[in-house]
Amino acid sequence: MDALGAFLLFLGLVVSVVLSHKQIKSFVSSHASRFKKEKVVDAEKKSMYGSDEPLPKPTPLMITPEQVQNYDDRPWRPFRWPYHQTMSIFRLDINHWLDMDKYYVHYIEEKKRILNKYGKQNMDWLPESYDACYELMETVTEHLIQRYPLLFTVLKDGSFDEKTGKGKIIRNEVTNEVLDMTLPLKEYPLWYVTKLAKEDFYIVKKSPVDEKHYLVAAAVPFPGGSFDVHQKVGCNLDVIHSEVPYYKEKLQKSMERWFNRMKSNEPVERASWYISWDHKLKINNVYQIPKYVPNQEADLSSTDPKEFNVRVERQTLRRLPRSQAIIFTNHPIFYSIEEMKDEPLVPSLIKKIIFEAPKDIIKYKNFEVFRNHISDYLEGLVQRQIEKGIIDKDTPLKTLPSYPFAHWADTDFDYVNGWNNPSPAYDKSANYTEKAKQELTNEND
Ligand code: HEM
């Protein structure tokens, strides 16, 4: 090799090292930045992009179908004290719109069972939702292909343009299911959405008549039990939230303002939660009607408090640019109280909230049903934290600085296994959906 050849080779090497370093940096920052405190911006106060720029495409996450089986999603800890009813929305890094985790395959399977068995009760739509559902199908498909290239394979790649396009065929590498979305579609577009993503979907449109926002379609197999989805399709958001404590006083105005101003490049997320002693996705024991579970009280009192868990309802909101519909997703994740017992103040916060939250919230979340049963257990965990020096008895009880996530969300993360709870009490191989399957073998849901 002559001197010029050697120089060019050297230059090429330098450029490729710099480039790959840059790529890695951008990859790392797009994943980890969500957890830097200054980035967790309260979306009510600060605009994300401040312009009409389209949303950036998601960054590819190169996890394989085998790795998904061990992948844990972000650890939510949405416990607030004092507990005021507020919107509590945060800007959403679009990479996290449709998160992936080790439960994905079970949720998809359970969705099928519920939708086959209950049909319209859990998935329904009005004809005027068609354009929004079609755009949603397209958006979900493109998002999943771009974000998880090794989990979704494009077998036939046509455009979704309804006049000129041919549509797509996708293979889901986690479930091995092939989804034929060639045009004309064989099913209503919402069907494909619900087969692709593990989330529940609500499609909301503003009425030109009264300017209110209406639920025009919903695919919600996992409502948890506190409400009936079927009854809500065709209702506006005020009616839908009529049972929600302090909605009129604390939420209605800010939600209205937010929905009217929300741009398609300003997605947000939030989380709500309640407690139960089972892992059913459709109706949890805490909301089960005694008519269907006559032995509910006996079941509760014979359940070890260590079996109790927090069901976090992880929610996102985004506007679709073409139809202008607002898409609300909800995704339940269970965390046992045991797996959070080493996290400063978590047992103290849960105990405080179930006994001292505003009374209508206590009622809405059915805290009274079980709180005496787990009160000694929670107090034991609080004392344990004091003895271990995790907190001291004067540590002020207030919302965690890492809210809405666990304090270790910034640090205990890798690209293959996702988020790794460092507590010895956490069994990474545990899979609550196996339990859910056993719990779901009767008519109790
Ligand atoms: C910023 C937007 C929103 C906020 C702040 C909000 C807030 C809430 C709150 C506080 C609850 C009570 C559960 C809890 O404790 O968290 C609730 C329940 C509910 N929300 Fe929303 N929500 C929003 C958007 C939506 C949208 C767009 C839909 C779609 C239709 C929706 C559907 C529901 C349903 C079905 C319930 C259960 C109602 C029941 O128990 O009868 N929400 N929401």
Side-chain angles (χ1 to χ4, degrees):
M1 193 186 305
D2 62 9
L4 182 66
F7 175 71
L8 286 175
L9 183 68
F10 172 73
L11 199 68
L13 269 174
V14 170
V15 167
S16 75
V17 166
V18 169
L19 253 185
S20 59
H21 181 66
K22 264 190 166 167
Q23 278 162 349
I24 290 167
K25 257 180 90 179
S26 96
F27 181 76
V28 169
S29 71
S30 79
H31 286 70
S33 66
R34 180 61 186 81
F35 297 98
K36 295 210 181 96
K37 255 170 245 140
E38 70 275 15
K39 296 267 181 178
V40 183
V41 174
D42 185 336
E44 278 175 72
K45 295 187 189 121
K46 210 163 179 178
S47 175
M48 185 173 179
Y49 299 101
S51 70
D52 289 321
E53 288 292 303
L55 265 176
K57 285 188 175 164
T59 319
L61 181 63
M62 306 305 276
I63 44 173
T64 64
E66 294 70 38
Q67 287 164 352
V68 170
Q69 292 167 22
N70 203 37
Y71 200 88
D72 276 338
D73 193 6
R74 296 173 300 166
W76 288 84
R77 303 291 184 261
F79 313 118
R80 281 182 285 139
W81 193 261
Y83 192 155
H84 301 303
Q85 191 72 290
T86 63
M87 289 221 293
S88 47
I89 49 177
F90 296 94
R91 72 191 199 183
L92 166 70
D93 172 345
I94 202 62
N95 285 321
H96 290 295
W97 184 41
L98 306 173
D99 272 326
M100 189 51 70
D101 67 21
K102 63 188 178 199
Y103 305 117
Y104 172 84
V105 65
H106 304 288
Y107 278 48
I108 296 287
E109 208 177 290
E110 178 59 357
K111 268 189 177 191
K112 266 192 205 152
R113 187 190 73 84
I114 291 171
L115 294 177
N116 280 339
K117 186 169 169 186
Y118 296 94
K120 268 184 174 297
Q121 206 177 309
N122 289 81
M123 177 154 106
D124 202 5
W125 57 80
L126 304 178
E128 55 264 47
S129 71
Y130 182 84
D131 62 333
C133 290
Y134 190 87
E135 189 181 6
L136 178 63
M137 176 194 77
E138 190 177 338
T139 312
V140 166
T141 308
E142 302 297 353
H143 182 95
L144 291 174
I145 296 168
Q146 285 158 5
R147 176 68 174 154
Y148 308 108
L150 304 182
L151 305 184
F152 296 91
T153 308
V154 182
L155 301 178
K156 181 176 170 186
D157 198 6
S159 123
F160 278 121
D161 185 314
E162 276 190 283
K163 289 204 182 90
T164 57
K166 296 212 163 20
K168 285 189 184 1
I169 302 180
I170 306 290
R171 186 170 58 234
N172 182 333
E173 303 293 351
V174 188
T175 60
N176 282 323
E177 190 176 14
V178 173
L179 286 175
D180 181 353
M181 289 177 276
T182 45
L183 304 182
L185 294 175
K186 286 151 208 74
E187 294 179 273
Y188 200 70
L190 197 53
W191 268 110
Y192 300 97
V193 171
T194 198
K195 284 177 183 176
L196 281 165
K198 68 181 175 337
E199 281 72 12
D200 286 349
F201 287 87
Y202 299 77
I203 293 88
V204 175
K205 272 190 167 181
K206 188 170 172 173
S207 155
V209 180
D210 64 5
E211 308 246 297
K212 283 182 181 289
H213 288 87
Y214 283 77
L215 181 63
V216 291
V220 184
F222 309 143
S226 66
F227 62 94
D228 182 344
V229 194
H230 180 52
Q231 309 287 343
K232 302 210 183 273
V233 175
C235 298
N236 69 47
L237 288 186
D238 293 344
V239 173
I240 287 174
H241 288 94
S242 59
E243 301 292 312
V244 171
Y246 314 107
Y247 172 76
K248 256 192 166 337
E249 310 87 299
K250 304 273 185 185
L251 291 174
Q252 188 181 18
K253 279 226 163 65
S254 31
M255 276 170 64
E256 243 166 50
R257 205 177 324 123
W258 174 258
F259 284 129
N260 280 321
R261 291 203 309 218
M262 179 188 189
K263 291 181 178 170
S264 57
N265 63 4
E266 291 185 334
V268 294
E269 62 183 334
R270 69 184 299 276
S272 70
W273 61 278
Y274 61 86
I275 291 178
S276 193
W277 58 98
D278 64 312
H279 298 84
K280 290 174 195 150
L281 289 165
K282 186 169 182 288
I283 302 186
N284 283 113
N285 287 351
V286 70
Y287 288 118
Q288 190 59 269
I289 321 169
K291 185 176 136 198
Y292 295 112
V293 189
N295 58 346
Q296 195 189 18
E297 244 172 68
D299 183 51
L300 163 64
S301 54
S302 64
T303 302
D304 186 340
K306 286 185 181 167
E307 295 287 312
F308 277 67
N309 58 67
V310 173
R311 171 169 165 147
V312 171
E313 305 278 7
R314 187 263 161 154
Q315 301 164 347
T316 72
L317 281 153
R318 70 181 286 183
R319 189 190 290 286
L320 297 178
R322 228 168 40 223
S323 61
Q324 288 293 301
I326 292 169
I327 305 301
F328 179 68
T329 69
N330 188 83
H331 162 223
I333 319 167
F334 294 100
Y335 301 98
S336 68
I337 298 178
E338 269 296 287
E339 79 186 68
M340 301 184 281
K341 70 178 179 187
D342 289 331
E343 298 177 16
L345 284 182
V346 167
S348 322
L349 278 165
I350 294 176
K351 183 159 184 263
K352 187 84 175 168
I353 292 168
I354 63 177
F355 282 95
E356 293 178 43
K359 73 175 185 343
D360 289 354
I361 290 182
I362 291 184
K363 212 163 134 216
Y364 184 76
K365 298 193 186 249
N366 271 3
F367 288 155
E368 280 160 322
V369 169
F370 61 83
R371 65 183 181 184
N372 290 335
H373 184 66
I374 63 167
S375 154
D376 287 350
Y377 163 63
L378 287 171
E379 185 52 34
L381 295 183
V382 173
Q383 291 311 318
R384 182 179 167 278
Q385 289 209 340
I386 295 171
E387 278 153 29
K388 287 184 144 246
I390 298 173
I391 56 172
D392 63 53
K393 61 179 187 356
D394 302 320
T395 306
L397 191 61
K398 55 177 193 208
T399 307
L400 306 170
S402 57
Y403 173 86
F405 297 106
H407 71 278
W408 49 268
D410 275 347
T411 46
D412 294 271
F413 168 79
D414 69 71
Y415 294 102
V416 174
N417 297 300
W419 280 264
N420 302 295
N421 186 338
S423 167
Y426 181 62
D427 175 6
K428 175 108 179 152
S429 66
N431 190 337
Y432 66 71
T433 39
E434 289 306 320
K435 264 192 185 168
K437 271 194 215 157
Q438 293 160 21
E439 290 166 348
L440 282 163
T441 51
N442 50 41
E443 290 293 306
N444 286 358
D445 62 9

